[in-house]
Amino acid sequence: MEKLTRREEELMRCFWERGPLFVKDLVALAPEPKPHFNTLSTMVRALEAKGYVAHRSFGNTYQYYPVVSEEAFSRQTLGSVISRYFENSYLGAVSALIEEEKISVGELRELIERIEHENRR
């Protein structure tokens, strides 16, 4: 899965939240100042080339829809971060979250209990 730019990821979030969209819909959803139609069209075609969206033809216009789920993207992104910054150590990533007080020991215990409960099923 190819990496996305920040703006491409923002466009994918529109697709994940709203489903199939035309480029004109993306223009309408964009905050001011509105990007030009051609700019968004180029970006969506780049997403299609990267394999994130596909399209259906409606006359001379296209409706784009996501083909990569948000969950699959999130997992891939997390894996890339852990690989790049934690030498492929998920334990190292969790340790960093605890050290930075982003997750408490109590929350970690809850997670362990949830995992143990799921494994008993």
Side-chain angles (χ1 to χ4, degrees):
M1 199 177 302
E2 283 192 58
K3 291 178 86 172
L4 298 180
T5 66
R6 180 187 57 78
R7 188 66 180 120
E8 288 172 335
E9 189 174 335
E10 289 171 6
L11 288 177
M12 283 306 300
R13 295 212 182 283
C14 289
F15 287 112
W16 290 323
E17 290 170 8
R18 298 180 183 265
L21 297 165
F22 294 94
V23 174
K24 67 178 180 161
D25 299 328
L26 291 169
V27 173
L29 291 169
E32 293 292 342
K34 300 274 187 204
H36 192 274
F37 180 94
N38 291 345
T39 302
L40 286 180
S41 181
T42 299
M43 293 177 73
V44 173
R45 285 192 313 257
L47 286 172
E48 188 170 30
K50 290 180 178 183
Y52 283 89
V53 300
H55 72 268
R56 290 180 197 93
S57 296
F58 289 89
N60 62 352
T61 188
Y62 297 136
Q63 184 184 49
Y64 294 90
Y65 58 92
V67 293
V68 173
S69 71
E70 186 173 15
E71 181 180 346
F73 176 75
S74 296
R75 288 181 189 274
Q76 174 66 32
T77 302
L78 178 61
S80 295
V81 167
I82 290 174
S83 174
R84 175 184 259 166
Y85 298 106
F86 297 98
E87 298 175 359
N88 269 341
S89 171
Y90 283 77
L91 181 59
V94 171
S95 295
L97 291 170
I98 292 170
E99 288 172 15
E100 294 292 320
E101 298 179 1
K102 302 293 183 190
I103 184 172
S104 71
V105 174
E107 289 170 321
L108 187 57
R109 283 191 185 107
E110 281 180 40
L111 180 59
I112 291 168
E113 288 173 11
R114 190 179 328 151
I115 292 168
E116 287 175 340
H117 178 73
E118 290 293 320
N119 286 339
R120 280 185 238 139
R121 287 182 174 184

